[in-house]
Short mmCIF file of all heavy atoms in Angstrom, two decimals:
data_model
loop_
_atom_site.label_atom_id
_atom_site.label_comp_id
_atom_site.label_asym_id
_atom_site.label_seq_id
_atom_site.Cartn_x
_atom_site.Cartn_y
_atom_site.Cartn_z
N ARG A 1 64.06 162.29 186.71
CA ARG A 1 64.31 161.20 187.63
C ARG A 1 63.53 159.93 187.22
O ARG A 1 63.92 158.82 187.59
CB ARG A 1 63.92 161.59 189.06
CG ARG A 1 64.73 162.74 189.66
CD ARG A 1 64.13 163.13 190.98
NE ARG A 1 62.77 163.58 190.85
CZ ARG A 1 61.95 163.83 191.86
NH1 ARG A 1 62.35 163.60 193.11
NH2 ARG A 1 60.72 164.26 191.66
N PHE A 2 62.44 160.14 186.49
CA PHE A 2 61.48 159.03 186.26
C PHE A 2 61.17 158.76 184.80
O PHE A 2 60.29 157.96 184.49
CB PHE A 2 60.17 159.28 187.03
CG PHE A 2 60.35 159.71 188.47
CD1 PHE A 2 59.62 160.78 188.97
CD2 PHE A 2 61.21 159.08 189.30
CE1 PHE A 2 59.76 161.19 190.25
CE2 PHE A 2 61.38 159.45 190.63
CZ PHE A 2 60.65 160.54 191.12
N SER A 3 61.88 159.38 183.87
CA SER A 3 61.48 159.32 182.47
C SER A 3 61.83 158.00 181.78
O SER A 3 61.29 157.72 180.74
CB SER A 3 62.11 160.52 181.70
OG SER A 3 63.52 160.49 181.84
N SER A 4 62.78 157.23 182.35
CA SER A 4 63.12 155.94 181.76
C SER A 4 63.33 154.91 182.86
O SER A 4 63.50 155.28 184.04
CB SER A 4 64.40 156.07 180.90
OG SER A 4 65.53 156.21 181.74
N ILE A 5 63.42 153.66 182.47
CA ILE A 5 63.61 152.58 183.49
C ILE A 5 64.94 152.75 184.18
O ILE A 5 65.08 152.51 185.40
CB ILE A 5 63.46 151.20 182.85
CG1 ILE A 5 63.43 150.15 183.95
CG2 ILE A 5 64.53 150.90 181.83
CD1 ILE A 5 63.00 148.78 183.44
N GLY A 6 65.97 153.21 183.46
CA GLY A 6 67.27 153.42 184.09
C GLY A 6 67.21 154.55 185.13
O GLY A 6 67.75 154.40 186.25
N ASP A 7 66.51 155.62 184.76
CA ASP A 7 66.38 156.76 185.69
C ASP A 7 65.58 156.34 186.90
O ASP A 7 65.91 156.69 188.07
CB ASP A 7 65.71 157.95 184.99
CG ASP A 7 66.55 158.47 183.86
OD1 ASP A 7 67.79 158.54 183.99
OD2 ASP A 7 65.95 158.82 182.78
N ARG A 8 64.49 155.61 186.68
CA ARG A 8 63.65 155.18 187.79
C ARG A 8 64.42 154.28 188.76
O ARG A 8 64.24 154.34 189.97
CB ARG A 8 62.38 154.48 187.28
CG ARG A 8 61.41 155.44 186.58
CD ARG A 8 60.06 154.76 186.36
NE ARG A 8 60.13 153.68 185.40
CZ ARG A 8 60.03 153.80 184.07
NH1 ARG A 8 59.88 154.99 183.56
NH2 ARG A 8 60.09 152.75 183.30
N THR A 9 65.25 153.40 188.21
CA THR A 9 66.02 152.52 189.06
C THR A 9 67.00 153.30 189.96
O THR A 9 67.16 153.00 191.12
CB THR A 9 66.80 151.51 188.22
OG1 THR A 9 65.90 150.73 187.41
CG2 THR A 9 67.66 150.57 189.07
N GLN A 10 67.60 154.33 189.40
CA GLN A 10 68.51 155.17 190.18
C GLN A 10 67.81 155.93 191.29
O GLN A 10 68.38 156.19 192.36
CB GLN A 10 69.21 156.18 189.27
CG GLN A 10 70.37 155.61 188.46
CD GLN A 10 71.13 156.68 187.69
OE1 GLN A 10 70.63 157.19 186.68
NE2 GLN A 10 72.24 157.09 188.24
N HIS A 11 66.54 156.25 191.06
CA HIS A 11 65.79 157.07 192.02
C HIS A 11 64.60 156.30 192.59
O HIS A 11 63.55 156.85 192.88
CB HIS A 11 65.28 158.35 191.34
CG HIS A 11 66.40 159.21 190.80
ND1 HIS A 11 67.13 160.09 191.56
CD2 HIS A 11 66.92 159.33 189.55
CE1 HIS A 11 68.04 160.70 190.86
NE2 HIS A 11 67.95 160.23 189.61
N ILE A 12 64.81 155.00 192.78
CA ILE A 12 63.69 154.13 193.13
C ILE A 12 63.10 154.47 194.50
O ILE A 12 61.87 154.38 194.69
CB ILE A 12 64.14 152.66 193.04
CG1 ILE A 12 62.91 151.71 193.04
CG2 ILE A 12 65.12 152.29 194.17
CD1 ILE A 12 62.02 151.85 191.86
N ASP A 13 63.90 154.85 195.46
CA ASP A 13 63.36 155.15 196.78
C ASP A 13 62.41 156.35 196.71
O ASP A 13 61.32 156.32 197.28
CB ASP A 13 64.47 155.45 197.79
CG ASP A 13 65.23 154.18 198.18
OD1 ASP A 13 64.69 153.10 198.04
OD2 ASP A 13 66.41 154.31 198.63
N GLU A 14 62.80 157.39 195.95
CA GLU A 14 61.92 158.56 195.81
C GLU A 14 60.61 158.16 195.09
O GLU A 14 59.55 158.62 195.45
CB GLU A 14 62.64 159.63 195.02
CG GLU A 14 63.92 160.15 195.64
CD GLU A 14 64.86 160.80 194.61
OE1 GLU A 14 64.51 161.94 194.20
OE2 GLU A 14 65.83 160.18 194.21
N LEU A 15 60.75 157.31 194.06
CA LEU A 15 59.60 156.92 193.28
C LEU A 15 58.61 156.11 194.13
O LEU A 15 57.41 156.36 194.11
CB LEU A 15 60.05 156.12 192.08
CG LEU A 15 58.98 155.68 191.09
CD1 LEU A 15 58.27 156.89 190.49
CD2 LEU A 15 59.57 154.84 189.97
N TYR A 16 59.14 155.18 194.90
CA TYR A 16 58.25 154.38 195.77
C TYR A 16 57.56 155.22 196.81
O TYR A 16 56.40 154.99 197.16
CB TYR A 16 59.05 153.24 196.44
CG TYR A 16 59.18 151.98 195.59
CD1 TYR A 16 60.32 151.23 195.61
CD2 TYR A 16 58.11 151.55 194.80
CE1 TYR A 16 60.49 150.08 194.85
CE2 TYR A 16 58.22 150.39 194.03
CZ TYR A 16 59.42 149.67 194.06
OH TYR A 16 59.51 148.51 193.31
N LYS A 17 58.23 156.23 197.33
CA LYS A 17 57.59 157.12 198.34
C LYS A 17 56.45 157.91 197.70
O LYS A 17 55.38 158.08 198.29
CB LYS A 17 58.65 158.08 198.93
CG LYS A 17 59.54 157.42 199.96
CD LYS A 17 60.54 158.39 200.56
CE LYS A 17 61.31 157.76 201.71
NZ LYS A 17 62.02 156.55 201.39
N ILE A 18 56.67 158.35 196.44
CA ILE A 18 55.59 159.07 195.75
C ILE A 18 54.42 158.13 195.53
O ILE A 18 53.23 158.45 195.75
CB ILE A 18 56.12 159.65 194.43
CG1 ILE A 18 57.09 160.78 194.67
CG2 ILE A 18 54.97 160.09 193.54
CD1 ILE A 18 57.84 161.26 193.46
N LEU A 19 54.72 156.91 195.05
CA LEU A 19 53.67 155.91 194.81
C LEU A 19 52.90 155.64 196.09
O LEU A 19 51.65 155.63 196.11
CB LEU A 19 54.30 154.62 194.27
CG LEU A 19 53.40 153.44 193.95
CD1 LEU A 19 52.42 153.80 192.83
CD2 LEU A 19 54.20 152.22 193.56
N SER A 20 53.61 155.45 197.19
CA SER A 20 52.97 155.16 198.46
C SER A 20 52.04 156.29 198.91
O SER A 20 50.93 156.02 199.43
CB SER A 20 54.03 154.93 199.56
OG SER A 20 54.81 153.80 199.24
N SER A 21 52.44 157.54 198.67
CA SER A 21 51.62 158.68 199.10
C SER A 21 50.30 158.69 198.38
O SER A 21 49.24 159.04 198.94
CB SER A 21 52.38 159.97 198.92
OG SER A 21 52.54 160.27 197.53
N TYR A 22 50.30 158.34 197.09
CA TYR A 22 49.02 158.33 196.33
C TYR A 22 48.15 157.14 196.72
O TYR A 22 46.92 157.26 196.74
CB TYR A 22 49.31 158.35 194.84
CG TYR A 22 49.73 159.71 194.32
CD1 TYR A 22 51.04 159.92 193.87
CD2 TYR A 22 48.84 160.78 194.30
CE1 TYR A 22 51.45 161.17 193.42
CE2 TYR A 22 49.24 162.03 193.85
CZ TYR A 22 50.56 162.21 193.39
OH TYR A 22 50.93 163.45 192.99
N LEU A 23 48.77 156.01 196.98
CA LEU A 23 47.95 154.82 197.33
C LEU A 23 47.13 155.05 198.59
O LEU A 23 46.04 154.50 198.71
CB LEU A 23 48.93 153.61 197.51
CG LEU A 23 49.14 152.70 196.29
CD1 LEU A 23 47.94 151.82 196.00
CD2 LEU A 23 49.56 153.49 195.06
N LEU A 24 47.62 155.81 199.48
CA LEU A 24 46.89 156.06 200.75
C LEU A 24 45.57 156.84 200.53
O LEU A 24 44.74 156.91 201.45
CB LEU A 24 47.76 156.91 201.69
CG LEU A 24 48.89 156.09 202.41
CD1 LEU A 24 49.86 157.06 203.10
CD2 LEU A 24 48.29 155.16 203.45
N GLN A 25 45.37 157.40 199.35
CA GLN A 25 44.24 158.27 199.13
C GLN A 25 43.00 157.55 198.66
O GLN A 25 41.89 158.12 198.58
CB GLN A 25 44.61 159.35 198.08
CG GLN A 25 45.75 160.27 198.54
CD GLN A 25 46.21 161.22 197.45
OE1 GLN A 25 45.49 161.40 196.46
NE2 GLN A 25 47.36 161.80 197.61
N ARG A 26 43.08 156.24 198.36
CA ARG A 26 41.93 155.49 197.89
C ARG A 26 41.91 154.11 198.54
O ARG A 26 42.94 153.63 199.09
CB ARG A 26 41.95 155.34 196.36
CG ARG A 26 42.06 156.62 195.56
CD ARG A 26 41.90 156.33 194.09
NE ARG A 26 42.33 157.43 193.26
CZ ARG A 26 42.33 157.47 191.93
NH1 ARG A 26 41.94 156.38 191.26
NH2 ARG A 26 42.73 158.51 191.25
N ASP A 27 40.73 153.44 198.45
CA ASP A 27 40.57 152.10 198.98
C ASP A 27 41.26 151.08 198.03
O ASP A 27 41.45 151.34 196.86
CB ASP A 27 39.12 151.74 199.11
CG ASP A 27 38.43 152.56 200.18
OD1 ASP A 27 39.15 153.21 200.99
OD2 ASP A 27 37.17 152.58 200.20
N SER A 28 41.52 149.91 198.58
CA SER A 28 42.19 148.85 197.83
C SER A 28 41.40 148.45 196.57
O SER A 28 41.96 148.31 195.48
CB SER A 28 42.39 147.61 198.72
OG SER A 28 43.20 147.90 199.82
N PHE A 29 40.10 148.26 196.74
CA PHE A 29 39.27 147.87 195.57
C PHE A 29 39.35 148.92 194.47
O PHE A 29 39.44 148.57 193.28
CB PHE A 29 37.81 147.69 196.01
CG PHE A 29 36.91 147.26 194.90
CD1 PHE A 29 36.90 145.95 194.46
CD2 PHE A 29 36.11 148.19 194.23
CE1 PHE A 29 36.06 145.59 193.40
CE2 PHE A 29 35.29 147.84 193.19
CZ PHE A 29 35.26 146.52 192.76
N ASP A 30 39.34 150.19 194.83
CA ASP A 30 39.45 151.28 193.82
C ASP A 30 40.74 151.16 193.06
O ASP A 30 40.79 151.28 191.82
CB ASP A 30 39.34 152.64 194.51
CG ASP A 30 38.00 152.88 195.11
OD1 ASP A 30 37.01 152.25 194.73
OD2 ASP A 30 37.93 153.71 196.07
N TRP A 31 41.85 150.91 193.77
CA TRP A 31 43.12 150.82 193.11
C TRP A 31 43.19 149.60 192.19
O TRP A 31 43.74 149.69 191.08
CB TRP A 31 44.24 150.79 194.10
CG TRP A 31 44.64 152.15 194.65
CD1 TRP A 31 44.56 152.56 195.92
CD2 TRP A 31 45.08 153.26 193.89
NE1 TRP A 31 44.97 153.88 196.02
CE2 TRP A 31 45.30 154.32 194.78
CE3 TRP A 31 45.34 153.47 192.50
CZ2 TRP A 31 45.74 155.59 194.33
CZ3 TRP A 31 45.77 154.71 192.10
CH2 TRP A 31 45.96 155.73 192.99
N LEU A 32 42.66 148.47 192.62
CA LEU A 32 42.69 147.30 191.78
C LEU A 32 41.88 147.52 190.50
O LEU A 32 42.22 147.08 189.40
CB LEU A 32 42.16 146.09 192.54
CG LEU A 32 43.06 145.62 193.70
CD1 LEU A 32 42.34 144.54 194.54
CD2 LEU A 32 44.38 145.11 193.20
N THR A 33 40.78 148.23 190.65
CA THR A 33 39.91 148.57 189.48
C THR A 33 40.66 149.49 188.53
O THR A 33 40.65 149.29 187.31
CB THR A 33 38.60 149.21 189.96
OG1 THR A 33 37.93 148.34 190.85
CG2 THR A 33 37.71 149.53 188.77
N VAL A 34 41.34 150.49 189.06
CA VAL A 34 42.08 151.45 188.25
C VAL A 34 43.19 150.72 187.53
O VAL A 34 43.42 150.96 186.31
CB VAL A 34 42.67 152.58 189.14
CG1 VAL A 34 43.75 153.34 188.40
CG2 VAL A 34 41.57 153.54 189.58
N CYS A 35 43.93 149.89 188.22
CA CYS A 35 45.04 149.16 187.59
C CYS A 35 44.56 148.25 186.48
O CYS A 35 45.23 148.10 185.44
CB CYS A 35 45.83 148.37 188.62
SG CYS A 35 46.82 149.44 189.72
N GLU A 36 43.43 147.63 186.69
CA GLU A 36 42.82 146.79 185.63
C GLU A 36 42.53 147.62 184.39
O GLU A 36 42.83 147.24 183.27
CB GLU A 36 41.53 146.14 186.17
CG GLU A 36 40.84 145.24 185.15
CD GLU A 36 41.47 143.86 185.06
OE1 GLU A 36 42.26 143.47 185.96
OE2 GLU A 36 41.27 143.20 184.03
N LYS A 37 41.98 148.81 184.62
CA LYS A 37 41.67 149.73 183.49
C LYS A 37 42.93 150.20 182.78
O LYS A 37 42.99 150.30 181.56
CB LYS A 37 40.88 150.91 184.06
CG LYS A 37 40.52 151.98 183.02
CD LYS A 37 39.85 153.19 183.67
CE LYS A 37 40.87 154.03 184.42
NZ LYS A 37 40.34 155.28 184.99
N LEU A 38 43.98 150.50 183.52
CA LEU A 38 45.21 151.09 182.95
C LEU A 38 46.17 150.01 182.47
O LEU A 38 47.19 150.33 181.84
CB LEU A 38 45.90 151.96 183.98
CG LEU A 38 45.09 153.17 184.51
CD1 LEU A 38 45.93 153.94 185.54
CD2 LEU A 38 44.71 154.09 183.35
N GLY A 39 45.91 148.77 182.77
CA GLY A 39 46.84 147.71 182.36
C GLY A 39 48.09 147.62 183.22
O GLY A 39 49.10 147.07 182.79
N ILE A 40 48.01 148.09 184.46
CA ILE A 40 49.11 148.06 185.40
C ILE A 40 48.99 146.79 186.25
O ILE A 40 47.95 146.56 186.85
CB ILE A 40 49.14 149.31 186.32
CG1 ILE A 40 49.37 150.55 185.48
CG2 ILE A 40 50.17 149.16 187.39
CD1 ILE A 40 49.24 151.85 186.26
N PRO A 41 50.01 145.95 186.32
CA PRO A 41 49.93 144.72 187.14
C PRO A 41 49.68 145.10 188.62
O PRO A 41 50.35 145.95 189.18
CB PRO A 41 51.30 144.09 186.97
CG PRO A 41 51.82 144.63 185.67
CD PRO A 41 51.29 146.03 185.57
N ALA A 42 48.69 144.45 189.19
CA ALA A 42 48.34 144.71 190.58
C ALA A 42 47.60 143.50 191.10
O ALA A 42 46.98 142.72 190.36
CB ALA A 42 47.48 145.94 190.74
N ALA A 43 47.65 143.29 192.42
CA ALA A 43 46.97 142.14 193.04
C ALA A 43 46.75 142.41 194.51
O ALA A 43 47.49 143.15 195.17
CB ALA A 43 47.82 140.90 192.88
N PRO A 44 45.71 141.81 195.06
CA PRO A 44 45.55 141.81 196.51
C PRO A 44 46.54 140.84 197.13
O PRO A 44 47.14 140.03 196.45
CB PRO A 44 44.11 141.32 196.72
CG PRO A 44 43.87 140.40 195.52
CD PRO A 44 44.63 141.04 194.39
N ILE A 45 46.73 140.94 198.43
CA ILE A 45 47.59 139.99 199.14
C ILE A 45 46.78 138.75 199.45
O ILE A 45 45.67 138.82 200.00
CB ILE A 45 48.12 140.60 200.43
CG1 ILE A 45 49.03 141.82 200.14
CG2 ILE A 45 48.89 139.58 201.25
CD1 ILE A 45 49.49 142.57 201.36
#
């Protein structure tokens, strides 16, 4: 479901729900730090 951008687009609702469930487990600052380390675009509001 998630191995390519095309697959992720088809299953985007499932993917976002998975992403949301993990985000709840840490504080905002921790996630921003992790994303900086991993090179994933992220920002505070």
Side-chain angles (χ1 to χ4, degrees):
R1 297 173 298 170
F2 312 134
S3 58
S4 72
I5 189 169
D7 297 321
R8 290 192 295 273
T9 300
Q10 281 186 283
H11 299 279
I12 195 65
D13 288 338
E14 299 159 75
L15 184 59
Y16 275 143
K17 282 180 172 59
I18 290 170
L19 180 62
S20 297
S21 69
Y22 284 112
L23 267 286
L24 284 168
Q25 298 174 16
R26 304 186 195 179
D27 293 345
S28 298
F29 180 80
D30 294 337
W31 279 119
L32 293 171
T33 303
V34 164
C35 288
E36 181 78 19
K37 178 185 73 175
L38 300 178
I40 295 173
I45 296 173

